Each structure stands twice: as C-alpha cells, then as structure tokens.
Amino acid sequence: MSTGSFAHLTVELQGSVAVVGLNRPDKRNAIHDPLIDEIHQFFSAPPEGVRVVVLHGHGPHFSSGLDLSEHRDRDAFEVMLHSQKWHRTFHAVQLGGLPVVTAMQGAVVGGGLELATSTHVRVAEPSTFYALPEGQRGIFVGGGGSVRIARVIGAGRMAEMMLTGHAYNAQEGQAMGLSHHLVGEGEALPKALDLARRIADNAPLSNYAVVNALPRIADMAQSEGLFTESLMAAMAQTSTEARERMRAFLEKRGPKAGA
Ligand code: 1HE
C-alpha cells in the first residue's frame, strides 16, 4: 500500500513497517529544502500503526548530502536557520520514538551520513562509501554530524575525514560502526526489512526506551544516567506486555536469546 503525497519521498506501508525512500536519484538524493521538509513531515507524524521505519535511497547512491546548488547564495543567518531546520528534522528521526533501519549503497556523504547516523540500525552494501567533503567544499557540517557522527566514529576520525576528504569503503565502515550489517549487492533493503520486522515484534515500550533513553543517557553524567536507566527499567518491566513476555519465556513459549 502506498501512502502520503510527497514529491521527493516514497512511502510504502508493509504491515507495521513503513518503507521510506529518498527519491531524487537524478541528483544522487542530494538533500534540498523540500526534501528535508518532507523528511521532517513524515517523522513528525508517521502513519498510525507504524512501529518501525526502513529508510533507503532510490538509485545507486543513498545520499550525496546537502544540495550544494541551493546553498551557494545563503547569508550567515540563513545558514544558521537552515542548520537548525536540519537539527529539528534529524532529532525527529532519532528521537521520534520509532526505530529506523537504514539501507545504504553508494555515496553516504556529508548530510547523507548525518541522516544515516540519526537512524538506529544501518545495513550497507559493498558499493557503500562514506565521506565528509565539507573541507573540500569550504563548509562545515550543519546537520548534527559533529555530535552524531563523532559519537559513532570518534571526533578524531571525523576530523581526519573532514580535513583530508578521505572516503572509507563499506568494509572499513563496518569496522568503524557506520554500518551494523554488511550484505551483498542489492541485499540491503531486503535485510533492512527483515530486521525491521523483527524489531516490530518487540514490545513497543522497549523499542521506545531504546531509541529515546539510550542516546540521552549517553549524554548524561554517570549518576544521572544510572538513575534514568532505573526509571526507564521500572516503566518497562512493570508493563503488562513485559510480564506476559517474561512469563512466556519461563513457560517455554518465548524465543531464546540469539534465535
Ligand atoms: C548534486 C549533489 C549535491 C550530486 N548537491 N547536486 N556533498 C558533496 O560534496 C557530494 C557531491 N556529489 C558527489 O561527489 C557526486 O555527485 C557523487 C559521488 C555523490 C555521485 O557521483 P556521480 O558521478 O554518480 O554523479 P554526478 O554526475 O556527480 O551527479 C549527478 C547529478 O547530481 C549532477 O547534476 P546534473 O544536473 O549535472 O545532472 C550533480 O551536480 C548532482 N549532484 N550531488 C547538488 N550534493 C547540513 S550540512 C551538510 C554538509 C554536506 O552535506 S557537504 C557534502 C555535500
């Protein structure tokens, strides 16, 4: 079933999984204002019943990042506001409450990498490469990369990428945590869908806690982080669904870990 009236995104519902595609393949899914607005619109109000989102890019590249053609003539204040619009959008992706699984191929570059690292599970094909050409373009990251990309690969490695334009290939990206699964050519989307369906079977409150509490706790001092973890645990463990799932395991009805 197709849904939504987006010009630059495709949205397809497969049960409780929404498959969202960046749809500017002619421009290598460069992110211009209308596209960022549509991403924001989708993640701020996902269709009812959706429990997990799969994000992918149409064509041979996931995303070439910021659309440089519309960025050229902005003044400082406009760039500031534009950057904050990206922050709001990727905040909605990361902390909107729904787990997001990303399928990647080809370029995952600049703002494309900022978008990918706002998502929770990343699957890459062998063609995937990661780069931050901001230095070469004379600009800086503005879509949250200095926080989110640096959290994944470290500020030092991010600086090296931005300074030298060094691109990392799919295998290197896997070792660095930029992807969590490395699959064959053409297999990222099916794998992402498979993972999304597994995630959709989890208790919604557990999924919500993972995507909302973990990144916040990572930003807290130890004492506050541990206190917040206990609060989250208290909410999750006392839910009716948790009680039933724990009982199911003890009565040999629930899946074993690793299955
Ligand atoms: C674009 C963009 C774009 C492609 N903005 N138009 N991002 C970059 O610096 C990456 C720039 N793009 C590339 O390096 C390459 O396009 C790719 C390696 C991604 C793909 O190469 P290729 O040979 O497949 O495609 P192409 O021929 O370079 O591009 C096809 C068309 O897409 C072409 O337009 P056309 O009208 O001549 O057909 C390109 O101009 C266009 N295109 N990428 C605008 N990014 C919030 S801050 C975030 C900061 C950043 O993201 S910086 C990184 C910017």
Side-chain angles (χ1 to χ4, degrees):
M1 172 189 162
S2 286
T3 184
S5 53
F6 297 104
H8 308 290
L9 278 183
T10 56
V11 178
E12 192 196 333
L13 294 185
Q14 296 193 15
S16 58
V17 177
V19 183
V20 176
L22 309 174
N23 197 18
R24 294 188 80 208
D26 292 354
K27 297 291 179 189
R28 308 309 185 246
N29 296 321
I31 303 171
H32 61 350
D33 269 358
L35 177 54
I36 202 82
D37 286 343
E38 290 189 357
I39 296 171
H40 188 246
Q41 194 184 327
F42 176 84
F43 282 96
S44 302
E48 210 154 313
V50 169
R51 291 171 75 154
V52 183
V53 178
V54 167
L55 181 67
H56 69 108
H58 290 279
H61 299 283
F62 173 69
S63 172
S64 63
L66 176 70
D67 188 314
L68 298 166
S69 67
E70 67 172 17
H71 201 66
R72 256 182 334 210
D73 301 322
R74 290 197 163 118
D75 67 23
F77 188 39
E78 286 169 335
V79 173
M80 176 81 192
L81 296 179
H82 179 263
S83 167
Q84 291 188 299
K85 182 208 281 260
W86 279 51
H87 289 170
R88 281 194 298 280
T89 301
F90 293 175
H91 182 95
V93 173
Q94 184 184 23
L95 297 164
L98 294 181
V100 186
V101 185
T102 298
M104 303 181 292
Q105 78 288 353
V108 183
V109 167
L113 185 54
E114 294 181 301
L115 172 58
T117 52
S118 309
T119 70
H120 309 98
V121 180
R122 294 177 293 277
V123 183
E125 294 184 1
S127 64
T128 309
F129 64 94
Y130 309 91
L132 293 170
E134 280 83 353
Q136 294 162 305
R137 308 282 178 243
I139 58 177
F140 191 63
V141 283
S146 57
V147 173
R148 294 194 186 91
I149 299 171
R151 292 277 198 282
V152 176
I153 65 173
R157 178 96 72 162
M158 185 174 172
E160 182 264 339
M161 288 177 79
M162 289 183 70
L163 289 172
T164 66
H166 183 175
Y168 286 93
N169 66 28
Q171 273 191 332
E172 292 166 329
Q174 174 75 8
M176 288 155 65
L178 289 171
S179 66
H180 305 114
H181 297 265
L182 181 54
V183 296
E185 215 55 65
E187 293 174 7
L189 189 52
K191 177 71 178 179
L193 274 164
D194 181 47
L195 293 168
R197 290 193 192 103
R198 288 177 73 115
I199 296 168
D201 283 342
N202 295 339
L205 181 55
S206 294
N207 284 344
Y208 181 86
V210 169
V211 303
N212 268 285
L214 278 186
R216 288 192 163 94
I217 290 171
D219 288 341
M220 289 177 188
Q222 185 166 304
S223 167
E224 286 72 22
L226 293 173
F227 188 76
T228 306
E229 177 186 280
S230 297
L231 285 174
M232 206 65 250
M235 271 187 73
Q237 261 131 262
T238 52
S239 66
T240 313
E241 185 155 3
R243 289 190 214 283
E244 163 48 25
R245 283 171 180 253
M246 289 189 274
R247 189 180 315 116
F249 174 76
L250 295 172
E251 292 170 1
K252 315 278 184 223
R253 292 183 285 116
K256 292 196 180 189

PDB file of all heavy atoms in Angstrom, residues 41-70:
ATOM      1  N   GLN A  41       8.315  16.186   7.962  1.00  0.00           N
ATOM      2  CA  GLN A  41       6.859  15.949   7.991  1.00  0.00           C
ATOM      3  C   GLN A  41       6.571  14.475   8.272  1.00  0.00           C
ATOM      4  O   GLN A  41       5.740  14.140   9.119  1.00  0.00           O
ATOM      5  CB  GLN A  41       6.290  16.340   6.624  1.00  0.00           C
ATOM      6  CG  GLN A  41       4.790  16.474   6.563  1.00  0.00           C
ATOM      7  CD  GLN A  41       4.341  16.761   5.125  1.00  0.00           C
ATOM      8  OE1 GLN A  41       5.051  17.423   4.353  1.00  0.00           O
ATOM      9  NE2 GLN A  41       3.186  16.259   4.752  1.00  0.00           N
ATOM     10  N   PHE A  42       7.271  13.588   7.589  1.00  0.00           N
ATOM     11  CA  PHE A  42       6.992  12.160   7.788  1.00  0.00           C
ATOM     12  C   PHE A  42       7.318  11.740   9.222  1.00  0.00           C
ATOM     13  O   PHE A  42       6.497  11.114   9.895  1.00  0.00           O
ATOM     14  CB  PHE A  42       7.783  11.278   6.803  1.00  0.00           C
ATOM     15  CG  PHE A  42       7.543   9.824   7.088  1.00  0.00           C
ATOM     16  CD1 PHE A  42       6.434   9.187   6.560  1.00  0.00           C
ATOM     17  CD2 PHE A  42       8.360   9.119   7.956  1.00  0.00           C
ATOM     18  CE1 PHE A  42       6.148   7.859   6.878  1.00  0.00           C
ATOM     19  CE2 PHE A  42       8.092   7.790   8.288  1.00  0.00           C
ATOM     20  CZ  PHE A  42       6.988   7.164   7.741  1.00  0.00           C
ATOM     21  N   PHE A  43       8.514  12.086   9.697  1.00  0.00           N
ATOM     22  CA  PHE A  43       8.935  11.564  11.001  1.00  0.00           C
ATOM     23  C   PHE A  43       8.238  12.265  12.163  1.00  0.00           C
ATOM     24  O   PHE A  43       8.168  11.713  13.256  1.00  0.00           O
ATOM     25  CB  PHE A  43      10.463  11.623  11.143  1.00  0.00           C
ATOM     26  CG  PHE A  43      11.150  10.506  10.399  1.00  0.00           C
ATOM     27  CD1 PHE A  43      11.643  10.702   9.123  1.00  0.00           C
ATOM     28  CD2 PHE A  43      11.254   9.244  10.962  1.00  0.00           C
ATOM     29  CE1 PHE A  43      12.258   9.663   8.426  1.00  0.00           C
ATOM     30  CE2 PHE A  43      11.863   8.197  10.276  1.00  0.00           C
ATOM     31  CZ  PHE A  43      12.367   8.404   9.000  1.00  0.00           C
ATOM     32  N   SER A  44       7.701  13.466  11.923  1.00  0.00           N
ATOM     33  CA  SER A  44       6.969  14.143  12.995  1.00  0.00           C
ATOM     34  C   SER A  44       5.589  13.533  13.190  1.00  0.00           C
ATOM     35  O   SER A  44       5.025  13.617  14.283  1.00  0.00           O
ATOM     36  CB  SER A  44       6.798  15.625  12.670  1.00  0.00           C
ATOM     37  OG  SER A  44       8.035  16.223  12.485  1.00  0.00           O
ATOM     38  N   ALA A  45       5.037  12.953  12.145  1.00  0.00           N
ATOM     39  CA  ALA A  45       3.695  12.366  12.248  1.00  0.00           C
ATOM     40  C   ALA A  45       3.615  11.119  11.376  1.00  0.00           C
ATOM     41  O   ALA A  45       2.960  11.120  10.333  1.00  0.00           O
ATOM     42  CB  ALA A  45       2.648  13.393  11.812  1.00  0.00           C
ATOM     43  N   PRO A  46       4.306  10.052  11.791  1.00  0.00           N
ATOM     44  CA  PRO A  46       4.264   8.829  10.973  1.00  0.00           C
ATOM     45  C   PRO A  46       2.842   8.262  10.931  1.00  0.00           C
ATOM     46  O   PRO A  46       2.052   8.504  11.850  1.00  0.00           O
ATOM     47  CB  PRO A  46       5.220   7.870  11.690  1.00  0.00           C
ATOM     48  CG  PRO A  46       5.545   8.479  12.998  1.00  0.00           C
ATOM     49  CD  PRO A  46       5.125   9.907  12.996  1.00  0.00           C
ATOM     50  N   PRO A  47       2.507   7.534   9.857  1.00  0.00           N
ATOM     51  CA  PRO A  47       1.149   6.987   9.763  1.00  0.00           C
ATOM     52  C   PRO A  47       0.819   6.115  10.979  1.00  0.00           C
ATOM     53  O   PRO A  47       1.696   5.442  11.517  1.00  0.00           O
ATOM     54  CB  PRO A  47       1.195   6.137   8.485  1.00  0.00           C
ATOM     55  CG  PRO A  47       2.371   6.627   7.718  1.00  0.00           C
ATOM     56  CD  PRO A  47       3.344   7.178   8.704  1.00  0.00           C
ATOM     57  N   GLU A  48      -0.437   6.160  11.370  1.00  0.00           N
ATOM     58  CA  GLU A  48      -0.878   5.372  12.522  1.00  0.00           C
ATOM     59  C   GLU A  48      -0.584   3.880  12.297  1.00  0.00           C
ATOM     60  O   GLU A  48      -0.757   3.387  11.184  1.00  0.00           O
ATOM     61  CB  GLU A  48      -2.387   5.579  12.712  1.00  0.00           C
ATOM     62  CG  GLU A  48      -2.790   5.445  14.143  1.00  0.00           C
ATOM     63  CD  GLU A  48      -4.064   6.237  14.425  1.00  0.00           C
ATOM     64  OE1 GLU A  48      -4.141   7.415  13.992  1.00  0.00           O
ATOM     65  OE2 GLU A  48      -4.940   5.644  15.032  1.00  0.00           O
ATOM     66  N   GLY A  49      -0.184   3.225  13.327  1.00  0.00           N
ATOM     67  CA  GLY A  49       0.052   1.780  13.235  1.00  0.00           C
ATOM     68  C   GLY A  49       1.478   1.421  12.843  1.00  0.00           C
ATOM     69  O   GLY A  49       1.869   0.258  12.941  1.00  0.00           O
ATOM     70  N   VAL A  50       2.255   2.414  12.409  1.00  0.00           N
ATOM     71  CA  VAL A  50       3.643   2.125  12.030  1.00  0.00           C
ATOM     72  C   VAL A  50       4.468   1.942  13.299  1.00  0.00           C
ATOM     73  O   VAL A  50       4.392   2.738  14.234  1.00  0.00           O
ATOM     74  CB  VAL A  50       4.225   3.268  11.168  1.00  0.00           C
ATOM     75  CG1 VAL A  50       5.731   3.108  11.001  1.00  0.00           C
ATOM     76  CG2 VAL A  50       3.551   3.278   9.804  1.00  0.00           C
ATOM     77  N   ARG A  51       5.260   0.873  13.329  1.00  0.00           N
ATOM     78  CA  ARG A  51       6.086   0.604  14.519  1.00  0.00           C
ATOM     79  C   ARG A  51       7.573   0.728  14.227  1.00  0.00           C
ATOM     80  O   ARG A  51       8.368   0.932  15.135  1.00  0.00           O
ATOM     81  CB  ARG A  51       5.776  -0.790  15.063  1.00  0.00           C
ATOM     82  CG  ARG A  51       4.375  -0.832  15.662  1.00  0.00           C
ATOM     83  CD  ARG A  51       3.939  -2.228  16.012  1.00  0.00           C
ATOM     84  NE  ARG A  51       4.596  -2.678  17.205  1.00  0.00           N
ATOM     85  CZ  ARG A  51       4.098  -3.600  18.024  1.00  0.00           C
ATOM     86  NH1 ARG A  51       2.938  -4.150  17.753  1.00  0.00           N
ATOM     87  NH2 ARG A  51       4.764  -3.984  19.087  1.00  0.00           N
ATOM     88  N   VAL A  52       7.942   0.566  12.961  1.00  0.00           N
ATOM     89  CA  VAL A  52       9.358   0.659  12.573  1.00  0.00           C
ATOM     90  C   VAL A  52       9.418   1.286  11.180  1.00  0.00           C
ATOM     91  O   VAL A  52       8.526   1.074  10.357  1.00  0.00           O
ATOM     92  CB  VAL A  52      10.024  -0.738  12.533  1.00  0.00           C
ATOM     93  CG1 VAL A  52      11.507  -0.625  12.197  1.00  0.00           C
ATOM     94  CG2 VAL A  52       9.855  -1.470  13.863  1.00  0.00           C
ATOM     95  N   VAL A  53      10.493   2.042  10.926  1.00  0.00           N
ATOM     96  CA  VAL A  53      10.674   2.658   9.609  1.00  0.00           C
ATOM     97  C   VAL A  53      11.934   2.083   8.970  1.00  0.00           C
ATOM     98  O   VAL A  53      12.958   1.912   9.645  1.00  0.00           O
ATOM     99  CB  VAL A  53      10.817   4.193   9.734  1.00  0.00           C
ATOM    100  CG1 VAL A  53      11.054   4.828   8.367  1.00  0.00           C
ATOM    101  CG2 VAL A  53       9.578   4.794  10.394  1.00  0.00           C
ATOM    102  N   VAL A  54      11.845   1.792   7.686  1.00  0.00           N
ATOM    103  CA  VAL A  54      13.028   1.467   6.886  1.00  0.00           C
ATOM    104  C   VAL A  54      13.285   2.665   5.980  1.00  0.00           C
ATOM    105  O   VAL A  54      12.396   3.121   5.267  1.00  0.00           O
ATOM    106  CB  VAL A  54      12.809   0.189   6.049  1.00  0.00           C
ATOM    107  CG1 VAL A  54      13.906   0.037   4.996  1.00  0.00           C
ATOM    108  CG2 VAL A  54      12.784  -1.037   6.956  1.00  0.00           C
ATOM    109  N   LEU A  55      14.511   3.167   6.022  1.00  0.00           N
ATOM    110  CA  LEU A  55      14.884   4.324   5.199  1.00  0.00           C
ATOM    111  C   LEU A  55      15.871   3.862   4.137  1.00  0.00           C
ATOM    112  O   LEU A  55      16.824   3.124   4.448  1.00  0.00           O
ATOM    113  CB  LEU A  55      15.530   5.385   6.103  1.00  0.00           C
ATOM    114  CG  LEU A  55      15.964   6.690   5.449  1.00  0.00           C
ATOM    115  CD1 LEU A  55      14.759   7.485   4.958  1.00  0.00           C
ATOM    116  CD2 LEU A  55      16.767   7.531   6.450  1.00  0.00           C
ATOM    117  N   HIS A  56      15.689   4.299   2.903  1.00  0.00           N
ATOM    118  CA  HIS A  56      16.623   3.926   1.840  1.00  0.00           C
ATOM    119  C   HIS A  56      16.669   5.042   0.813  1.00  0.00           C
ATOM    120  O   HIS A  56      15.893   6.002   0.867  1.00  0.00           O
ATOM    121  CB  HIS A  56      16.215   2.596   1.193  1.00  0.00           C
ATOM    122  CG  HIS A  56      14.950   2.674   0.390  1.00  0.00           C
ATOM    123  ND1 HIS A  56      14.928   2.618  -0.978  1.00  0.00           N
ATOM    124  CD2 HIS A  56      13.648   2.833   0.762  1.00  0.00           C
ATOM    125  CE1 HIS A  56      13.682   2.711  -1.407  1.00  0.00           C
ATOM    126  NE2 HIS A  56      12.888   2.847  -0.376  1.00  0.00           N
ATOM    127  N   GLY A  57      17.596   4.918  -0.137  1.00  0.00           N
ATOM    128  CA  GLY A  57      17.706   5.915  -1.193  1.00  0.00           C
ATOM    129  C   GLY A  57      17.486   5.250  -2.538  1.00  0.00           C
ATOM    130  O   GLY A  57      18.069   4.196  -2.808  1.00  0.00           O
ATOM    131  N   HIS A  58      16.670   5.857  -3.381  1.00  0.00           N
ATOM    132  CA  HIS A  58      16.459   5.314  -4.728  1.00  0.00           C
ATOM    133  C   HIS A  58      17.700   5.585  -5.585  1.00  0.00           C
ATOM    134  O   HIS A  58      18.352   6.620  -5.432  1.00  0.00           O
ATOM    135  CB  HIS A  58      15.228   5.946  -5.373  1.00  0.00           C
ATOM    136  CG  HIS A  58      13.939   5.500  -4.724  1.00  0.00           C
ATOM    137  ND1 HIS A  58      13.343   4.292  -5.022  1.00  0.00           N
ATOM    138  CD2 HIS A  58      13.156   6.088  -3.789  1.00  0.00           C
ATOM    139  CE1 HIS A  58      12.237   4.161  -4.299  1.00  0.00           C
ATOM    140  NE2 HIS A  58      12.097   5.237  -3.543  1.00  0.00           N
ATOM    141  N   GLY A  59      17.991   4.669  -6.500  1.00  0.00           N
ATOM    142  CA  GLY A  59      19.146   4.846  -7.378  1.00  0.00           C
ATOM    143  C   GLY A  59      20.401   4.245  -6.775  1.00  0.00           C
ATOM    144  O   GLY A  59      20.344   3.560  -5.748  1.00  0.00           O
ATOM    145  N   PRO A  60      21.545   4.520  -7.406  1.00  0.00           N
ATOM    146  CA  PRO A  60      22.791   3.861  -6.966  1.00  0.00           C
ATOM    147  C   PRO A  60      23.438   4.456  -5.717  1.00  0.00           C
ATOM    148  O   PRO A  60      24.420   3.921  -5.232  1.00  0.00           O
ATOM    149  CB  PRO A  60      23.721   4.019  -8.183  1.00  0.00           C
ATOM    150  CG  PRO A  60      23.188   5.180  -8.938  1.00  0.00           C
ATOM    151  CD  PRO A  60      21.722   5.268  -8.663  1.00  0.00           C
ATOM    152  N   HIS A  61      22.900   5.574  -5.208  1.00  0.00           N
ATOM    153  CA  HIS A  61      23.516   6.217  -4.034  1.00  0.00           C
ATOM    154  C   HIS A  61      22.460   6.453  -2.953  1.00  0.00           C
ATOM    155  O   HIS A  61      21.332   6.833  -3.263  1.00  0.00           O
ATOM    156  CB  HIS A  61      24.138   7.562  -4.419  1.00  0.00           C
ATOM    157  CG  HIS A  61      25.228   7.433  -5.444  1.00  0.00           C
ATOM    158  ND1 HIS A  61      26.489   6.993  -5.136  1.00  0.00           N
ATOM    159  CD2 HIS A  61      25.222   7.651  -6.787  1.00  0.00           C
ATOM    160  CE1 HIS A  61      27.243   6.968  -6.227  1.00  0.00           C
ATOM    161  NE2 HIS A  61      26.487   7.360  -7.254  1.00  0.00           N
ATOM    162  N   PHE A  62      22.870   6.275  -1.689  1.00  0.00           N
ATOM    163  CA  PHE A  62      21.938   6.592  -0.598  1.00  0.00           C
ATOM    164  C   PHE A  62      21.671   8.099  -0.583  1.00  0.00           C
ATOM    165  O   PHE A  62      20.544   8.538  -0.750  1.00  0.00           O
ATOM    166  CB  PHE A  62      22.509   6.123   0.748  1.00  0.00           C
ATOM    167  CG  PHE A  62      21.679   6.572   1.920  1.00  0.00           C
ATOM    168  CD1 PHE A  62      20.413   6.040   2.143  1.00  0.00           C
ATOM    169  CD2 PHE A  62      22.136   7.552   2.797  1.00  0.00           C
ATOM    170  CE1 PHE A  62      19.623   6.470   3.209  1.00  0.00           C
ATOM    171  CE2 PHE A  62      21.360   7.984   3.863  1.00  0.00           C
ATOM    172  CZ  PHE A  62      20.104   7.441   4.069  1.00  0.00           C
ATOM    173  N   SER A  63      22.740   8.890  -0.417  1.00  0.00           N
ATOM    174  CA  SER A  63      22.556  10.350  -0.479  1.00  0.00           C
ATOM    175  C   SER A  63      23.899  11.068  -0.595  1.00  0.00           C
ATOM    176  O   SER A  63      24.851  10.743   0.111  1.00  0.00           O
ATOM    177  CB  SER A  63      21.821  10.875   0.758  1.00  0.00           C
ATOM    178  OG  SER A  63      21.822  12.300   0.759  1.00  0.00           O
ATOM    179  N   SER A  64      23.918  12.069  -1.481  1.00  0.00           N
ATOM    180  CA  SER A  64      25.124  12.896  -1.668  1.00  0.00           C
ATOM    181  C   SER A  64      25.132  14.100  -0.727  1.00  0.00           C
ATOM    182  O   SER A  64      25.934  15.014  -0.902  1.00  0.00           O
ATOM    183  CB  SER A  64      25.211  13.362  -3.118  1.00  0.00           C
ATOM    184  OG  SER A  64      24.104  14.184  -3.430  1.00  0.00           O
ATOM    185  N   GLY A  65      24.225  14.117   0.254  1.00  0.00           N
ATOM    186  CA  GLY A  65      24.271  15.164   1.282  1.00  0.00           C
ATOM    187  C   GLY A  65      23.592  16.456   0.874  1.00  0.00           C
ATOM    188  O   GLY A  65      22.708  16.477   0.007  1.00  0.00           O
ATOM    189  N   LEU A  66      24.037  17.505   1.485  1.00  0.00           N
ATOM    190  CA  LEU A  66      23.452  18.832   1.253  1.00  0.00           C
ATOM    191  C   LEU A  66      23.405  19.153  -0.238  1.00  0.00           C
ATOM    192  O   LEU A  66      24.386  18.947  -0.957  1.00  0.00           O
ATOM    193  CB  LEU A  66      24.347  19.865   1.955  1.00  0.00           C
ATOM    194  CG  LEU A  66      23.984  21.334   1.783  1.00  0.00           C
ATOM    195  CD1 LEU A  66      22.700  21.656   2.533  1.00  0.00           C
ATOM    196  CD2 LEU A  66      25.119  22.216   2.290  1.00  0.00           C
ATOM    197  N   ASP A  67      22.260  19.679  -0.685  1.00  0.00           N
ATOM    198  CA  ASP A  67      22.176  20.123  -2.080  1.00  0.00           C
ATOM    199  C   ASP A  67      22.961  21.422  -2.215  1.00  0.00           C
ATOM    200  O   ASP A  67      22.543  22.476  -1.735  1.00  0.00           O
ATOM    201  CB  ASP A  67      20.703  20.336  -2.476  1.00  0.00           C
ATOM    202  CG  ASP A  67      20.580  20.597  -3.974  1.00  0.00           C
ATOM    203  OD1 ASP A  67      21.369  21.417  -4.495  1.00  0.00           O
ATOM    204  OD2 ASP A  67      19.714  19.981  -4.611  1.00  0.00           O
ATOM    205  N   LEU A  68      24.116  21.308  -2.844  1.00  0.00           N
ATOM    206  CA  LEU A  68      25.044  22.452  -2.900  1.00  0.00           C
ATOM    207  C   LEU A  68      24.509  23.568  -3.785  1.00  0.00           C
ATOM    208  O   LEU A  68      24.891  24.724  -3.618  1.00  0.00           O
ATOM    209  CB  LEU A  68      26.413  21.969  -3.399  1.00  0.00           C
ATOM    210  CG  LEU A  68      27.094  20.939  -2.481  1.00  0.00           C
ATOM    211  CD1 LEU A  68      28.264  20.265  -3.192  1.00  0.00           C
ATOM    212  CD2 LEU A  68      27.564  21.588  -1.188  1.00  0.00           C
ATOM    213  N   SER A  69      23.590  23.241  -4.704  1.00  0.00           N
ATOM    214  CA  SER A  69      23.120  24.268  -5.639  1.00  0.00           C
ATOM    215  C   SER A  69      22.278  25.322  -4.935  1.00  0.00           C
ATOM    216  O   SER A  69      22.297  26.497  -5.310  1.00  0.00           O
ATOM    217  CB  SER A  69      22.330  23.638  -6.787  1.00  0.00           C
ATOM    218  OG  SER A  69      21.137  23.090  -6.300  1.00  0.00           O
ATOM    219  N   GLU A  70      21.537  24.926  -3.900  1.00  0.00           N
ATOM    220  CA  GLU A  70      20.691  25.935  -3.254  1.00  0.00           C
ATOM    221  C   GLU A  70      21.400  26.561  -2.051  1.00  0.00           C
ATOM    222  O   GLU A  70      20.890  27.488  -1.435  1.00  0.00           O
ATOM    223  CB  GLU A  70      19.332  25.358  -2.854  1.00  0.00           C
ATOM    224  CG  GLU A  70      19.359  24.319  -1.768  1.00  0.00           C
ATOM    225  CD  GLU A  70      17.958  23.937  -1.278  1.00  0.00           C
ATOM    226  OE1 GLU A  70      16.970  24.223  -1.984  1.00  0.00           O
ATOM    227  OE2 GLU A  70      17.862  23.352  -0.211  1.00  0.00           O
TER     228      GLU A  70
END
